Amino acid sequence: MRKHTLYFALGMMMTACAPQGYEAVNNIASQTVQDIACKDQNMETKLWDGLKTYLLEQKEIPSAETFKQAMHDNVDKLAEQNPDMTSEQKERLSADLDKLVESLLAEAPQGERVESPEQLLILLSAIDVGDRSTDFRSYMQDKVRGNFKQLSKTVQSFNLNCPSSGGETTAGTETPAQGEEPGSNVTEPAPAPVNRDYEYHKAQALASGTPLSVFGGRWAFATAYQSCQSVQLPSMNDQTPDVNGISIVGKHSDGVGSKRMIASLAKVQSSHYYIRDMSSYGEGCFNVRQNPLIYDYGGKPYATTATTSPIDLFKNNGDGTSVLGIDCSGYVFTSMATAGLRLKAGRALKASDSWAWGSSSYVEPQKNGLTCLDKISVTPAVSMKAGDIVAVYGHVLLIDKVGADPFGIAAAKSEADCKKITSNQFDFVVAQSAPSKGGIGINYYEARNYLPTSSKMKTGLEKYAYYACLAKVNGKSYTPNVGTLSVVRHKGTAECTAPRVKMARESCIQSCSSFVR
């Protein structure tokens, strides 16, 4: 009893003298060192989740030095529990952990000039999944992988006692409180039995030949607007009026995108194509009319690191502004995840990975950890398909529908004809979150009308059209490599599918009659 009292007193003294934020990082350090002792193969995943959870909950960037101190303190405890652990082993383990912490919490944020916990959350998520979209991220990818490899090598050489977890919940894997509904003050009622649930609509879509990625995009779209009618509206075109009442209030911290806010709710309500005719919402639905989703550069869906976390579009999160809304990559990830389509083979499908992949990652998917996506080849018979993803550096979108001649090449007879193909001949519809029409956000848009507003997309897709035309007139297949744009397709293999990620408030649309467009 005296021994336990002494340990408690020492623990209280350490806590009293510990730097600010010590307790939260100590929980992560304690779990990490315990996993090391137990040689837990999921140690790396749990450490990533612990760091992400810290950033979400503490709303601050953890100090690398404080984190190192917490790691050292827990290595000391581990040594006390393992008398056979030598001082040299203790020093090796501490040194390996120091290097890892330095990479994650000092070198990485300094290299990308991280200024907020939201930015660090996105950066660490990108490193976690294997992003190499910039030279610096490629460097950090190798550096962090090397840190983990060295730590694993050191750990495997030890013979340590695995302490009992005592039934505690591990960092980053907690389940939300029973009955908790993040993102709104509207209480979600217990779901009533319905005839048309997600699985019903999925089966209907597949039976009609709709690709799973397209169905996921439509499910995400309708959930975002809490409206069955939103997916039935005609795709936007040149005649669709702009949304009014949205103001640009500055530049994003990266100096590229704009920050947008709602300046006049009444104007947004009366002009927003997808909410202007909505007068009421069903029980348990989020009132999107009172809290509109608009385009939010850098904005990501809200999630926790728990494997059961839903994707929540109705609670602000990520590196955008305080308005509700997500960016282009947030919508594409949501579309794939809610359909049960992994982006990285074998990786657990989790809502929190929406922070990981930006638009640039999709341009060279295999290089950036998106191993379930391949660049398409165009053949004499087939070019673009519904469900394909199109990406440039700065934007990514999903192809919702294609006509019989998506690139407008049917009349071409020669290579000279192929050189004349332009986007005004295209026949397909894009699904995206974009600043189109004054910042509308998630939308369907006729490609021939949308592309003149996006020069990089227009130029790149016209090059794809040229190769598709060459394939037709020459009777050959090509895999276009245009450098700044890629059209990629999900493999659909077993290792690239998983149980889907649910969305908050999706019960609002389960009774929709159809998601056919």
Side-chain angles (χ1 to χ4, degrees), residues 14-214:
M14 287 179 64
T15 302
C17 299
Q20 184 176 1
Y22 179 86
E23 183 177 355
V25 298
N26 185 59
N27 290 336
I28 304 172
S30 175
Q31 180 65 57
T32 300
V33 173
Q34 175 176 307
D35 289 343
I36 286 172
C38 298
K39 298 185 179 180
D40 189 337
Q41 296 300 310
N42 294 315
M43 183 272 289
E44 181 177 336
T45 298
K46 290 194 282 186
L47 176 57
W48 284 118
D49 284 351
L51 286 170
K52 295 172 192 175
T53 299
Y54 179 98
L55 292 166
L56 281 169
E57 296 179 351
Q58 302 300 318
K59 305 296 184 185
E60 65 177 13
I61 296 176
S63 161
E65 293 307 313
T66 300
F67 214 106
K68 289 177 187 177
Q69 178 180 328
M71 289 291 193
H72 291 178
D73 291 343
N74 281 279
V75 169
D76 288 343
K77 292 178 184 178
L78 183 66
E80 291 174 4
Q81 297 163 359
N82 291 269
D84 293 336
M85 187 176 185
T86 66
S87 58
E88 190 233 346
Q89 288 178 321
K90 188 171 112 173
E91 289 175 7
R92 279 172 54 203
L93 181 57
S94 294
D96 287 349
L97 289 168
D98 279 355
K99 290 176 182 177
L100 178 60
V101 171
E102 186 72 18
S103 295
L104 295 174
L105 298 182
E107 189 171 4
Q110 287 171 8
E112 282 213 358
R113 299 181 181 179
V114 165
E115 298 177 354
S116 68
E118 292 84 7
Q119 290 175 345
L120 184 56
L121 177 65
I122 291 171
L123 174 58
L124 293 184
S125 297
I127 296 173
D128 176 17
V129 300
D131 180 40
R132 293 179 178 271
S133 57
T134 66
D135 289 342
F136 178 72
R137 290 191 177 187
S138 291
Y139 162 75
M140 285 309 307
Q141 191 66 236
D142 294 337
K143 183 79 176 287
V144 172
R145 295 273 76 80
N147 291 150
F148 275 117
K149 184 176 180 180
Q150 180 56 52
L151 178 60
S152 177
K153 182 178 179 180
T154 297
V155 169
Q156 293 306 317
S157 68
F158 292 173
N159 185 18
L160 303 171
N161 295 321
C162 176
S164 171
S165 66
E168 295 180 0
T169 304
T170 57
T173 58
E174 62 274 12
T175 302
Q178 184 69 30
E180 179 182 347
E181 175 62 27
S184 174
N185 56 4
V186 182
T187 303
E188 177 101 26
V194 293
N195 293 325
R196 296 188 178 96
D197 58 7
Y198 174 90
E199 292 300 330
Y200 168 86
H201 285 295
K202 175 183 173 182
Q204 293 295 102
L206 295 178
S208 68
T210 301
L212 194 52
S213 53
V214 171

Side-chain angles (χ1 to χ4, degrees), residues 370-387:
L370 292 89
T371 55
C372 289
L373 302 178
D374 277 329
K375 293 182 180 181
I376 70 167
S377 294
V378 291
T379 72
V382 180
S383 57
M384 178 181 285
K385 292 182 179 180

